Amino acid sequence: MPVLDEERHLEDSVRQVLEQDYEGRVEVVLAVGPSSDRTEELAARLARADPRVRTVPNPSGRTPDGLNAAIAASRGEVVARVDAHAEIPPSYITTAVRVLDETGADNVGGIMDARGTTPFERAVATAMRSPLGVGGSRFHVGGGAGEADTVYLGVFRREALESVGGYDPHFSRAQDWEMNHRLRQQGRRVWFTPDLVVTYRPRSTVRRLAAQYRGYGRWRRVVARRHPGTANARYLAPPVMVAGTLAATVVGLRWRPALVVPLGYAAAVTVGGWVVAKGETPAVRARVPLAIATMHWAWGIGFLTSPASLADGWDDQIR
């Protein structure tokens, strides 16, 4: 578990791992970054309170560095990635190990079940569970079990992780997709199962959501540069939308019919957002179009403005 500024969630996240119903031995390795809150103090206290919990330093605070440090310090034949923002059910490890055994897969994962508390968080969660917001990835919207390009978090065979050298420390974002791509290049199997459902807590403000999705777009462009041919239509849709909408808006200043493009996008997001939020409160439904548009535009702008230097090793970690 890589942790940075996670005072609010860390104790609950660790408790959920320690309360797993798995019959084998479980250990928790916390890779602790230089936090601005009491995360480091809390992690140390948790380690003192339970011998199953250990900490390792992550001086850079970057996710791939923390993951690799925690993996190196762990001892099990199965390695489960858990995030402090995620909430795993008691049967998570038991189910994952069973699916690993039944399928022969090298990494298994399930559904990223976004759930919010405030109206905006619930709007973001609604958008994240909808193809209109994030496309058709099964770990977002659900679906049948089977091989997948990537999965949420992941429960791995240690041997498979070691065979590809773990997470590429270059990737501040998209490190899961990139590492799973290398697993699949080796002929290994990444498996999605709807039997694993992990509660995810979305960003709480428009600014934080935009920063998150801008980072996703920027780093997904780096993956496309590193691994040509991996950018499919779903990943290209947001940057194409941004470029097309902006161009049509500029043309529309002189030729009004072109404004049908930005107006059509706005109408589609508004109506679509209301439809996917059916059953939610009016306060949530009113915010879903904003959440969807923020995700689309931030991802698309991030992809379009991603500098080539990122692929060469320059890092712009967004915390």
Side-chain angles (χ1 to χ4, degrees):
M1 185 187 298
V3 293
L4 179 71
D5 296 330
E6 293 290 357
E7 177 185 358
R8 178 182 173 188
H9 302 285
L10 182 59
E11 192 164 11
D12 286 342
S13 297
V14 171
R15 174 181 51 78
Q16 287 164 3
V17 178
L18 295 176
E19 292 178 353
Q20 291 292 297
D21 63 13
Y22 182 63
E23 294 182 354
R25 183 172 62 88
V26 173
E27 62 178 349
V28 183
V29 184
L30 307 176
V32 185
S35 300
S36 59
D37 60 10
R38 295 177 54 253
T39 295
E40 295 174 73
E41 175 187 339
L42 180 57
R45 178 165 62 81
L46 292 170
R48 289 194 300 269
D50 194 311
R52 294 173 294 175
V53 180
R54 288 184 293 136
T55 65
V56 294
N58 179 24
S60 73
R62 299 174 68 252
T63 299
D65 294 336
L67 288 168
N68 287 335
I71 291 166
S74 66
R75 295 164 290 197
E77 294 181 6
V78 173
V79 178
R81 172 182 177 173
V82 181
D83 284 348
H85 277 286
E87 299 177 9
I88 62 173
S91 61
Y92 184 78
I93 294 176
T94 299
T95 301
V97 172
R98 172 179 60 79
V99 175
L100 280 173
D101 290 340
E102 291 175 352
T103 63
D106 297 283
N107 177 22
V108 301
I111 295 174
M112 179 184 183
D113 186 26
R115 299 288 170 182
T117 52
T118 68
F120 182 74
E121 290 173 353
R122 288 167 60 185
V124 175
T126 300
M128 294 182 72
R129 296 194 302 268
S130 165
L132 182 61
V134 294
S137 293
R138 281 178 288 176
F139 74 84
H140 278 302
V141 302
E147 292 194 44
D149 290 343
T150 191
V151 291
Y152 181 50
L153 299 180
V155 180
F156 304 83
R157 299 183 190 275
R158 173 180 292 279
E159 180 271 329
L161 274 177
E162 293 177 345
S163 74
V164 296
Y167 292 87
D168 188 330
H170 173 66
F171 285 88
S172 292
R173 305 274 187 175
Q175 67 271 157
D176 300 278
W177 198 102
E178 194 277 337
M179 196 266 289
N180 281 313
H181 178 73
R182 286 185 283 119
L183 284 173
R184 291 185 290 106
Q185 282 186 314
Q186 283 193 353
R188 297 180 181 274
R189 304 170 75 200
V190 178
W191 192 269
F192 168 82
T193 173
D195 294 339
L196 291 175
V197 180
V198 181
T199 300
Y200 170 82
R201 297 302 180 186
R203 299 298 193 269
S204 58
T205 66
V206 172
R207 181 177 179 179
R208 295 185 66 197
L209 180 66
Q212 177 187 22
Y213 273 79
R214 174 178 170 270
Y216 287 164
R218 287 168 72 86
W219 283 96
R220 190 59 184 82
R221 180 77 176 271
V222 178
V223 173
R225 290 183 176 122
R226 284 282 189 92
H227 304 289
T230 61
N232 59 30
R234 179 165 63 87
Y235 292 111
L236 294 175
V240 169
M241 180 278 297
V242 169
T245 302
L246 289 176
T249 300
V250 172
V251 172
L253 296 176
R254 290 184 174 273
W255 188 60
R256 293 301 178 86
L259 293 177
V260 71
V261 175
L263 293 175
Y265 171 80
V269 168
T270 300
V271 175
W274 290 341
V275 170
V276 300
K278 184 179 180 180
E280 278 285 4
T281 64
V284 173
R285 295 187 77 183
R287 290 168 171 80
V288 172
L290 172 62
I292 293 174
T294 300
M295 292 156 65
H296 287 177
W297 279 84
W299 207 104
I301 291 171
F303 191 94
L304 290 171
T305 61
S306 178
S309 57
L310 280 182
D312 299 326
W314 179 69
D315 176 49
D316 73 340
Q317 169 80 343
I318 300 172
R319 293 172 68 168

